Amino acid sequence: MNPKDLTVVLTLKDRASFTYRWMRWMNEQKFPYKIIIADGGADKDIEMHLGDYQNYPDLDYEYIRYPYDSDVDAYIRKLADVASRVSTKFVMAADNDDLILLNPLEENLSVMRDRDDVHSICPSQYRFRIHKDAESIDNLVCADNASIAFTRLGHVVNQALEDPSPLTRLFSVVEKFCSTFIYYGIHRADDYKRINHGLLEMGVKRFIFMEWYTSYVYAIAGKLILDHSKPYLVRQEDTSQCASSIYSVENHANIFLLRDWSGALYAMIDDLYRQCMAMGYEMDREIFEEHFREAFRKDMLSWMEFRGLANKFKKFPKL
């Protein structure tokens, strides 16, 4: 174990009851790695609580108060700033409604330490759901005699993500999009910084574009292992703020009908192309875009069929 080579970035936006649970869980494990807490919420009580480091004597953490996460732009600005503060070799993202298991995390970290060609390792995950009537998400922080359903996610098998070519890895992850595993994986900090500054420079305005771009660039950066053998993350269902925004506020089902859709997609493709070419791989710009759009179309069609939305359209829209 090397407690100096990993940083966990915990992003907050209120829901303080989950933050208390997360911090207590990590403190009781005596979590040895660095934690940076990027708080974009409005809760002053949690600010005072986390600002008193004596409350968690067994944790090495830094608490940073950011402007309120009023929109996607504010959230991405927070991510870009906190990314610049990471000084370790590896990094992983965390939400306050999820729980990290220390021993399997360490086993996955050992793979990253031993293999210089691997830039990300993204295991399967455990999931749990608290079944009870709740007036707000905060009431789902503990079971209180309610039933709990616990499962382990089925795993995405994609050996192409370990291919030496960044083009092969990119087109593969576009077609078989597995953001839920990739986003919460262990990554090289240099890649994490480049992604979050790239999001800021492109002016991304929607969470779904943030998810796409993040997964795509991690695949370009280096080999990405989707390993199902040692999950270290226990994620709670029905409590994700970002996922809720994507499927409700942003209306993912109709996102390609929005006025800014085409321009945002083109800007992302252009950025991805430049990154692939910077790694020394030659491909004509038009051919690159053709391959990307075809893989992207397959993923979107698969998603629509999964969500039961394909019957909304006589013909799949041109992307």
Side-chain angles (χ1 to χ4, degrees):
M1 179 183 295
N2 179 4
K4 302 299 183 183
D5 66 355
L6 172 70
T7 297
V8 175
V9 176
L10 174 66
T11 52
L12 300 181
K13 183 182 178 182
D14 298 325
R15 303 192 308 173
S17 57
F18 288 94
T19 301
Y20 289 122
R21 184 183 74 178
W22 194 92
M23 294 294 288
R24 185 169 61 250
W25 171 268
M26 298 296 267
N27 194 66
E28 289 179 357
Q29 290 189 98
K30 293 181 171 56
F31 192 77
Y33 298 101
K34 176 76 175 182
I35 300 169
I36 300 179
I37 302 174
D39 189 354
D43 192 307
K44 296 299 182 182
D45 290 337
I46 196 68
E47 179 180 358
M48 292 181 61
H49 180 78
L50 294 176
D52 184 353
Y53 293 93
Q54 294 182 2
N55 287 323
Y56 301 101
D58 292 315
L59 295 181
D60 174 17
Y61 77 95
E62 177 184 4
Y63 175 79
I64 307 167
R65 162 64 73 177
Y66 286 91
Y68 185 69
D69 287 343
S70 56
D71 53 23
V72 177
D73 182 66
Y75 180 68
I76 288 176
R77 288 184 181 279
K78 179 178 75 173
L79 289 181
D81 181 82
V82 75
S84 67
R85 298 171 184 261
V86 174
S87 59
T88 53
K89 185 175 182 180
F90 307 115
V91 65
M92 63 172 289
D95 294 333
N96 66 351
D97 54 343
D98 303 330
L99 302 173
I100 298 172
L101 306 176
L102 179 56
N103 288 339
L105 174 67
E106 180 60 34
E107 291 183 64
N108 282 276
L109 262 175
S110 66
V111 177
M112 294 287 287
R113 295 177 182 128
D114 293 341
R115 292 188 57 182
D116 290 337
D117 61 326
V118 174
H119 279 235
S120 301
I121 185 164
C122 311
S124 183
Q125 300 165 0
Y126 297 112
R127 295 289 179 94
F128 74 98
R129 176 182 281 114
I130 296 176
H131 291 284
K132 70 175 182 179
D133 294 330
E135 296 179 358
S136 71
I137 287 179
D138 282 338
N139 292 331
L140 294 174
V141 72
C142 60
D144 289 333
N145 299 319
S147 62
I148 300 177
F150 190 86
T151 190
R152 177 170 169 167
L153 289 188
H155 198 65
V156 177
V157 177
N158 191 349
Q159 290 297 119
L161 293 178
E162 298 183 48
D163 192 272
S165 167
L167 292 170
T168 300
R169 296 194 301 268
L170 171 62
F171 297 141
S172 180
V173 80
V174 173
E175 184 174 339
K176 296 181 179 180
F177 186 58
C178 43
S179 172
T180 189
F181 298 120
I182 296 175
Y183 190 83
Y184 296 99
I186 302 169
H187 306 284
R188 295 190 180 275
D190 288 345
D191 300 334
Y192 177 79
K193 294 176 184 180
R194 184 170 68 256
I195 286 169
N196 286 297
H197 284 95
L199 289 167
L200 184 62
E201 290 172 3
M202 282 197 301
V204 171
K205 302 299 182 185
R206 302 186 186 281
F207 279 118
I208 187 58
F209 271 93
M210 185 185 80
E211 284 203 358
W212 286 329
Y213 182 80
T214 298
S215 294
Y216 299 164
V217 177
Y218 276 136
I220 291 173
K223 293 182 181 179
L224 193 156
I225 298 177
L226 292 176
D227 182 15
H228 68 282
S229 60
K230 299 178 179 66
Y232 57 75
L233 192 63
V234 185
R235 303 201 64 204
Q236 185 166 354
E237 298 278 7
D238 303 326
T239 56
S240 172
Q241 289 172 308
C242 184
S244 175
S245 174
I246 287 173
Y247 295 117
S248 58
V249 178
E250 294 190 357
N251 196 359
H252 188 184
N254 297 324
I255 194 169
F256 40 77
L257 303 179
L258 299 175
R259 182 175 300 175
D260 62 350
W261 158 260
S262 180
L265 182 63
Y266 184 88
M268 182 171 67
I269 292 173
D270 200 50
D271 182 279
L272 297 171
Y273 176 75
R274 289 196 302 269
Q275 292 197 48
C276 286
M277 297 308 102
M279 297 181 69
Y281 286 80
E282 297 294 332
M283 178 177 280
D284 179 79
R285 173 66 174 76
E286 291 184 3
I287 295 176
F288 176 89
E289 183 169 343
E290 181 181 335
H291 281 287
F292 179 93
R293 287 180 180 270
E294 178 59 25
F296 190 78
R297 179 184 181 278
K298 289 179 181 178
D299 173 63
M300 287 296 291
L301 183 58
S302 175
W303 179 87
M304 288 174 63
E305 291 174 345
F306 172 73
R307 300 287 295 186
L309 298 169
N311 61 347
K312 285 189 175 184
F313 302 94
K314 298 294 184 181
K315 181 179 179 183
F316 194 79
K318 183 179 180 181
L319 299 177

